Amino acid sequence: MVGIVIVSHSRLLAEGVRELALQMVPDYISLAIAAGIDDVDDHQLGTDVLQVQAAIESVYGDGGVLVLMDLGSALMSAEMALELLPEEKRHNVYLCEAPLVEGAIAATISAAAGNDLSQVIAEARAALAAKGSQLGVVSSSLLIADKNQLPPVDDAPVLEIRLRVSNKLGLHARPAAKFVATAAKFESQVKVKNITRSTVFVRANSINQVTMLGVRHGHELAITASGTDAEAALAAMKELVESHFGEDETAIWQPGDGDTRPYRSSVTSDLRGISASPGVAIAPSVLYINTPLPRYQLPTAPLQQYHVENSENEWQRLQNTIQAAHQEIEILLSETSTQIGDNEAAIFDAHLLFLEDPLVLEALQQHIFVEHLNAVAAWQAVVDELANQYRTQEDMYLRARAADVMDVGQRVLRLLAGIAATSLSFTEPVILIATDLTPSDTAKLDPANVLGICTTSGSPTSHTAIIARSLGIPAVVGVPESLLQVADGTMVALDGETGNVWIEPDAEIIASLTTKREAWQSSQHQATINVHQLAISLDGRQIEVLANIGGVADAQIALGLGAEGVGLLRTEFLFLDRMAPPSESEQYEVYHAIAQIFPNQPVIIRTLDIGGDKPLPYLNLPQENNPFLGWRGIRFCLSRDELFKIQLRAILRASTSGKFKIMFPMISTVTELQAAKLIFREVQTELRQAKIPFDEKIDIGIMIEVPSAVVIADQLAPKVDFFSIGTNDLSQYVMACDRTNPQVADLADAFHPAVLRMVQQTIKAGHAAGIKIGMCGELASDPFAAPILLGLGLDDVSLNPQAIPNFKSAISHLTVPEAEAIAFEALNLDSAAKVRSLISTFSYL
Ligand code: PEP
Ligand code: MG
């Protein structure tokens, strides 16, 4: 059985929660409390790590332990207690973010029912849903109350306004979502009808009813409100409609985008995009619609309908599942909005509102409590009915919404069936087509079956492109949108070097691409023959060649491809694609495992570089207009130092097993560097006091990727042991081009002399201070950059593992004076195109 531990500052509170929880179950379950400090009778507030540890040990069994905490230091105490547990137990103890009282009760009931730890966690997490539903607060995160459930206020007059909708596409996904959310903020009952279409009044807080009004450009609405704040409600609705729902008319979501895309046979011409990862691929295409359950993975088993006795349980199960679906969509929404754009993300706002729609919830209650249907059948019935209503609409836009309803419907059914979200896995070779892929989507791709990637968004320096390169998957990004109309299974060819894409290529094109692919594979093969040789120029100058990695698997690949260590461990990848940050011990395991792969070679661990195009949904980072100019990298870590310290502790603890170096990202001022070093010293002191060994001589370095850091490189250099130049960010900041924006990808070119001069300036300042200068930006992974980098005097480079053989081969064909001459000439050219043309004349590959 799962054991439960309540950690609270107050012993009285913890005892009360225990009493309440145990009353819910017939038999005693293993439930311990750790609360208050000092003498029990004093009721002194606080939490004690050892008490928490003892409580966990006291209820520990094979089923594992769920720990619920009240707040603040209770969390820290629980985390530290976890660290004190023996390794084998630690993995079976879960610190849960669920609300203390509701969570404890739900978890106790679930544990007493004999559920396993994952089910108990799920119950505890979803514990607020039932309360929310009872109070009519359907979403704890949005706090939208369905006031229309309340009886009408007797004497309150019904106020009415009439408004004309002037935005181009009427109430499409995003405006409809805003309309519903605004209406739901008020106590008053707000209703709306489409006068132009002569509809009846419907509830303004129901996304489905509002959408089905079919409001288009120029339609007139009547909006009524009755209740205490009716005037304010109507004023808010008026402002919303008159401000065109805050929409930029040029960038609105188009009907039909993102869901159903019929094949149009007219798409036969070649398409041109931006090369993002070299290589040639020819294979049938698969369109990945960035929805959670791609077409080819829908569960096909028939749904079971049966009579349930305990409707309350069934309702609770459905509520919990809806809550879980809500969480999944929120993550998807936040990823989409940061990585693709708010307009594309708006569709997921509508998905969330669908889950919260009071009409949907009422219909479900009817099926479950009155008809005693099981949750799956009830859900299916409501989804089918709604989807059919949309399908039978005359309006094409409304008909297309059926796909959204089905999408949300399938998600909940999958969760009810206990099926985890599927990743993008294929059993046959494919070329993956998408608007964009998230870094975590891309990271999960298997190069054995995903032969190529083709996206309409993205840029060569986006993390998606970087990962594609490190996976060795040819990729073209920024391809025109007509690509998305290609039917699944159509033969597609792409050349990741030129950015060309062919739909149904003819035999001649296939033959020439096949020749190119073979030549490419053979040059790759040739280079890999000597992978373990060092990168030494013809006249004897060596550049250390390290690898950019995201985890243990990459480290192993890098070793095989001749990496002489790790020049950049992007630790943020350990934090992506999960519901909570990795604990100190989880991080320790990864760092330790990498040290085992490179025991005597340098391993540069970059501290968390989150933000930009790598958001972490569970950290609730605020939406930013310019995430790349915002709260990312070291800026985030300095203000969230609890997370930073855990990471530094993990790195330091693992440092005894390898030759680690620590690198701070996004340093833009001396003050930031000093602050980061101060926190680092604090962690060192704590470890010393706790007698935990670590490498006392560990090197500290920084990334040079912000222009200000280049300019003050002479001030920064004496304070660190090394610099590593990050040309991906440096190019975007120097050239003022968002690295994920295909429109400006050509401009954000690290070969531009403006960027190369920054590289030169950094190397000079670093060498003047006697420190080593490396480069881990993507420029170094381009083998054509090798002469410039050798000529500018870099000491080491850190590359995508796949690029290592070619880089070594390039260096071995050069002399330093020759490279210096090339670098000198490149720096004096006036465009990236001229630099590329200069270096393309050197055939050292
Ligand atoms: C860089 O900016 O060049 C770099 C290596 O860091 P990242 O790509 O992870 O931002
Ligand atoms: Mg960077």
Side-chain angles (χ1 to χ4, degrees), residues 172 183 195-196 306 360 398 483 638 645 650 715 758 763 772:
H172 65 88
I195 299 175
T196 313
Y306 53 87
V360 170
L398 288 183
L483 172 75
L638 290 178
K645 279 183 151 183
Q715 297 173 350
M758 288 260 168
I763 297 173
K772 276 191 160 196

Side-chain angles (χ1 to χ4, degrees), residues 374-644:
N374 55 318
V376 169
W379 178 256
Q380 183 71 70
V382 171
V383 167
D384 282 351
E385 192 189 328
L386 211 59
N388 279 337
Q389 281 180 26
Y390 278 113
R391 275 191 205 106
T392 51
Q393 300 288 319
E394 271 180 28
D395 182 306
M396 195 199 83
Y397 168 76
L398 288 183
R399 284 202 305 276
R401 303 283 59 77
D404 290 323
V405 174
M406 295 306 288
D407 188 0
V408 184
Q410 291 291 351
R411 183 189 293 280
V412 172
L413 285 179
R414 169 176 61 71
L415 288 166
L416 277 170
I419 301 171
T422 41
S423 61
L424 278 166
S425 56
F426 304 89
T427 49
E428 300 288 330
V430 294
I431 286 185
L432 190 60
I433 292 180
T435 49
D436 201 2
L437 295 171
T438 62
S440 40
D441 273 342
T442 316
K444 281 183 259 159
L445 297 179
D446 177 3
N449 282 325
V450 179
L451 303 193
I453 298 173
C454 215
T455 64
T456 53
S457 311
S459 85
T461 52
S462 67
H463 285 94
T464 303
I466 293 170
I467 300 166
R469 283 194 288 273
S470 46
L471 289 171
I473 303 178
V476 179
V477 298
V479 180
E481 298 239 319
S482 55
L483 172 75
L484 303 174
Q485 294 166 352
V486 173
D488 284 1
T490 308
M491 193 54 79
V492 169
L494 65 84
D495 182 343
E497 210 175 31
T498 61
N500 278 317
V501 179
W502 293 263
I503 312 298
E504 296 184 321
D506 59 26
E508 206 179 318
I509 291 171
I510 294 192
S512 97
L513 286 176
T514 308
T515 312
K516 183 163 183 184
R517 182 172 58 191
E518 280 159 9
W520 165 260
Q521 282 168 344
S522 122
S523 89
Q524 291 281 95
H525 177 69
Q526 216 32 56
T528 49
I529 292 175
N530 302 323
V531 283
H532 295 294
Q533 287 182 1
L534 300 175
I536 302 182
S537 68
L538 287 170
D539 50 356
R541 182 96 144 260
Q542 184 186 348
I543 295 193
E544 200 174 22
V545 183
L546 310 169
N548 291 349
I549 64 168
V552 183
D554 291 355
Q556 200 64 56
I557 294 170
L559 183 66
L561 287 166
E564 297 151 25
V566 173
L568 168 63
L569 168 61
R570 286 189 166 96
T571 56
E572 50 280 5
F573 284 98
L574 312 179
F575 290 67
L576 293 177
D577 213 15
R578 40 186 302 146
M579 303 299 287
S583 65
E584 182 183 320
S585 60
E586 274 178 89
Q587 292 188 55
Y588 168 87
E589 293 301 339
V590 174
Y591 306 145
H592 179 72
I594 292 171
Q596 303 297 302
I597 296 169
F598 290 103
N600 300 311
Q601 289 135 311
V603 173
I604 301 181
I605 304 186
R606 180 174 76 181
T607 56
L608 186 61
D609 183 13
I610 214 63
D613 64 345
K614 291 173 288 192
L616 286 185
Y618 54 83
L619 291 181
N620 292 327
L621 301 180
Q623 287 289 333
E624 295 180 319
N625 287 338
N626 293 303
F628 279 117
L629 302 183
W631 199 34
R632 63 170 289 204
I634 200 70
R635 304 169 184 182
F636 171 80
C637 283
L638 290 178
S639 51
R640 293 288 295 270
D641 65 348
E642 74 285 358
L643 215 63
F644 191 37

